[in-house]
Amino acid sequence: MSSNLCVAVPDGATELERLRDRNQGIAPPSNADLIAIIRAKDDLICQLKTAALETDRLRDRVEQLEQLVGVDRSLTSRLRTAFGLEPGVAQVMGMLLKRDFVTHDALYVALYAARPECDWPDARIVDVQISRLRRALRRHGITIKTQWGEGWLMSAADKARVRAVMDSGDAYVAAVATGTIASMRF
């Protein structure tokens, strides 16, 4: 039996003729066409692998930038736990903790720029987030100062208080996890 496509079949037609009939007169691709398709597929796979590597690199870079800005998941998670904050409010707190001064626009972009523009809330939502954060921090004696028309800041002493509350919360969580303190059940 031959390995080429033109093998005789019992009814007298060649395999190639049968394929042409089945494909409504369209001949199968030539060997050169098949080789070009395979090369194109290989090129596409290479491009996809390169894009995947670039995506991973960009994700790492975004994570680094989020840590610098103060909206990374580990910090906001600790803030949420320590102060009982909503995710967006915890991001605002993270930015205030990491930076000397935070503008209204910087908060708005950090909170909502990843969303499609049609899903962006009204810009006054940042004021609402600050109000919620102030309420949560008040019971710890921590304040946020306003520079009208510009943005917000926290004193070094208030930042130290935030870190102390986070550290005490971390110590409590660790003690419960290790069994040193039995968790309370209600």
Side-chain angles (χ1 to χ4, degrees):
M1 188 182 230
S2 172
S3 64
N4 77 20
L5 210 51
C6 295
V7 176
V9 291
D11 64 358
T14 64
E15 183 69 16
L16 181 57
E17 290 169 338
R18 211 171 60 144
L19 284 172
R20 279 190 193 140
D21 291 342
R22 190 175 73 196
N23 293 322
Q24 300 171 348
I26 300 173
S30 67
N31 286 345
D33 290 340
L34 290 173
I35 290 170
I37 291 169
I38 291 169
R39 285 186 180 146
K41 176 195 67 98
D42 290 344
D43 289 345
L44 183 58
I45 289 171
C46 183
Q47 290 172 2
L48 289 172
K49 286 179 181 179
T50 302
L53 290 173
E54 180 67 9
T55 300
D56 289 343
R57 190 187 69 73
L58 289 172
R59 279 192 183 117
D60 290 343
R61 184 66 180 139
V62 166
E63 189 174 314
Q64 291 170 351
L65 292 172
E66 285 176 341
Q67 288 174 353
L68 289 173
V69 172
V71 295
D72 61 294
R73 288 184 182 155
S74 64
L75 176 60
T76 56
S77 176
R78 290 180 60 211
L79 289 167
R80 288 184 69 196
T81 301
F83 294 96
L85 303 175
E86 298 168 10
V89 177
Q91 287 181 323
V92 170
M93 181 68 216
M95 287 185 69
L96 286 166
L97 194 59
K98 290 277 189 165
R99 301 172 81 181
D100 293 332
F101 180 77
V102 180
T103 66
H104 183 278
D105 290 343
L107 281 174
Y108 188 76
V109 168
L111 292 172
Y112 303 108
R115 297 180 183 184
E117 195 170 341
C118 62
D119 289 340
W120 289 2
D122 187 279
R124 291 175 290 186
I125 191 67
V126 173
D127 299 318
V128 172
Q129 301 285 27
I130 290 289
S131 176
R132 289 177 181 164
L133 180 57
R134 281 183 167 142
R135 190 176 324 120
L137 297 178
R138 190 174 302 133
R139 63 180 170 238
H140 298 281
I142 301 167
T143 60
I144 298 170
K145 297 176 185 172
T146 300
Q147 287 189 356
W148 292 104
E150 295 179 35
W152 302 272
L153 63 131
M154 289 180 64
S155 68
D158 283 329
K159 289 180 181 184
R161 284 188 199 104
V162 168
R163 288 186 181 93
V165 171
M166 284 190 337
D167 291 343
S168 67
D170 290 346
Y172 175 77
V173 169
V176 169
T178 60
T180 307
I181 298 175
S183 62
M184 301 175 80
R185 296 181 192 259
F186 296 93

